[in-house]
Amino acid sequence: MKILVLMKQTFDTEEKIVLDGGKVKEDGVQFIINPYDEYAIEEALVLRDKFGGEVTVVTLGPARAEEALRKALAMGADHGVHINDEALFGDEYKAAKVLAEYIKGQEYDIILGGNMSVDDGSGQVAVRVAELLGIPHISTITKLEIDGTRVTAHRDAEGDLEIVEATLPVLVTAQQGLNEPRYPSLLGIRKANKIPLHVVGAGDLNVSASAKNEVVETYLPKEKTGGRILEGDTPARVKELVSLLRNEDKVI
């Protein structure tokens, strides 16, 4: 079985976010494999061990993303692909275009990714890739079964359970509860450092897509303060609440 995993390197969830000049400061910050992508990697390894084949982890990101790829290899992945070219970086729309363009030239039976990344939290890239490839996708899965070309997945439906069937090739995104990601062994780490990565640049892909949106401003949320009790009868309280939301918090 040919298994591809879409992986992103993200901020460690324990890191404190500091802004410098309107941008998130990355100096001295610990980066990790996006936690949801770890579930995808683990499930890929389980499938490979059950059905045979190989697992290839693909990431789109700057030079620092190599560290995350090496960890995925240390977990047991067979190959690592690093799409590393600033000309290819962008929003979810552009990222999906780039990843799909690379995958079009590869053999695969199933593609796995995380339900979302903990930095942007859009949950868009993987399903966009599936749409561009013209294959079915099942998101937020908590259980996966494959019998021949038949795929059955349990997916989290906001506190309820949905069972979805599809056929290979398919793309699925992993939700917490799908499995328990393994820790890399010392032997796995040693082996991972010897595995050559396949590095891909803009010249290797026929992608001319531009980002659909741009970050205009980055800011930290206001510090939380104590609650406020509005006095008076109901009409007066409603009027004051609307005024506060419009003039102070500016949310309406």
Side-chain angles (χ1 to χ4, degrees), residues 138-150:
I138 309 172
S139 60
T140 62
I141 69 167
T142 54
K143 184 178 180 180
L144 180 64
E145 297 175 338
I146 298 178
D147 182 8
T149 61
R150 182 180 176 183

Side-chain angles (χ1 to χ4, degrees), residues 120-196:
D120 295 330
S122 70
Q124 292 185 33
V125 174
V127 293
R128 281 180 177 269
V129 168
E131 288 293 313
L132 290 168
L133 295 175
I135 62 174
H137 58 78
I138 309 172
S139 60
T140 62
I141 69 167
T142 54
K143 184 178 180 180
L144 180 64
E145 297 175 338
I146 298 178
D147 182 8
T149 61
R150 182 180 176 183
V151 177
T152 304
H154 292 193
R155 65 185 302 270
D156 180 19
E158 297 188 4
D160 209 338
L161 173 66
E162 207 171 62
I163 299 176
V164 183
E165 292 185 352
T167 55
L168 297 176
V170 67
L171 182 148
V172 300
T173 63
Q175 174 66 301
Q176 185 177 9
L178 176 61
N179 53 49
E180 189 64 37
R182 68 194 69 186
Y183 289 99
S185 65
L186 183 58
L187 180 60
I189 294 172
R190 289 177 178 173
K191 287 183 177 180
N193 290 330
K194 297 178 181 178
I195 298 175

